Amino acid sequence: MKKQEFKIRINASPEKVWENLIGETTYPQWTSAFAEGSSVETDWQKGSRAVFHDGNGSGMISEIAENKPNEYLSIRHLGCINKGVEDFESEETRKWSGSLENYTLHPVDGETELIIDMDMAEEYEDYFLKTWPKALEQLKVLAEKN
């Protein structure tokens, strides 16, 4: 497992960035960079289950490891969904089960620096290196206009 970091500066307050990061209508918009039709089922509270859907019957099952509103969110990935079936035991799932995806928001000169650090299996590294910048740019557009 390898740790990767992504950053972006957004001309909006941490509260506005947070609102767009986890908002019911905005989350699917910025995460469409990963999968068109993506969505999430969660209340975002620490310890809560989070089910991330790709819009095609697949996705990930996770838990909210930490939630400090407007400052920090940590998601622990536990399993996946393949064609509607939950999987926590396959060899493929065990490769990345327990990995973390962390979001840190810092106010900087009237803007917000958003840092995402995540654990990733090497076979997904190219995908995330191409996709995260697109997703973050979409989040920036949303947060700066809303």
Side-chain angles (χ1 to χ4, degrees):
M1 196 77 63
K2 185 175 181 180
K3 189 166 285 289
Q4 191 63 250
E5 184 177 276
F6 303 92
K7 292 183 187 180
I8 193 165
R9 291 268 300 251
I10 300 173
N11 188 17
S13 67
E15 293 79 12
K16 187 59 73 177
V17 173
W18 184 266
E19 180 182 305
N20 284 274
L21 183 69
I22 66 169
E24 189 174 333
T25 59
T26 52
Y27 177 85
Q29 292 177 55
W30 73 266
T31 59
S32 68
F34 297 104
E36 197 63 47
S38 68
S39 63
V40 62
E41 293 175 52
T42 188
D43 64 6
W44 298 106
Q45 298 304 304
K46 182 177 179 175
S48 291
R49 177 179 163 108
V51 181
F52 298 91
H53 301 281
D54 71 355
N56 294 310
S58 295
M60 296 188 325
I61 303 160
S62 307
E63 75 170 333
I64 305 303
E66 187 61 71
N67 181 334
K68 296 179 181 176
N70 308 316
E71 294 177 22
Y72 182 75
L73 177 69
S74 180
I75 302 167
R76 182 177 297 108
H77 300 300
L78 304 172
C80 62
I81 302 170
N82 291 312
K83 298 178 183 168
V85 177
E86 293 186 4
D87 170 20
F88 296 95
E89 301 301 325
S90 71
E91 184 177 332
E92 182 65 26
T93 297
R94 287 195 310 249
K95 284 182 187 177
W96 54 264
S97 181
S99 65
L100 294 172
E101 183 174 324
N102 303 312
Y103 298 75
T104 305
L105 291 79
H106 296 289
V108 180
D109 299 328
E111 297 183 326
T112 300
E113 180 179 59
L114 174 60
I115 303 167
I116 288 92
D117 66 87
M118 65 181 291
D119 303 319
M120 65 178 71
E122 285 191 39
E123 61 259 34
Y124 299 114
E125 187 175 9
D126 286 342
Y127 169 75
F128 285 122
L129 287 173
K130 290 176 188 169
T131 310
W132 264 113
K134 292 175 188 175
L136 290 176
E137 191 58 40
Q138 287 178 235
L139 177 61
K140 175 181 173 74
V141 168
L142 287 167
E144 289 180 352
K145 79 172 186 178
N146 287 336

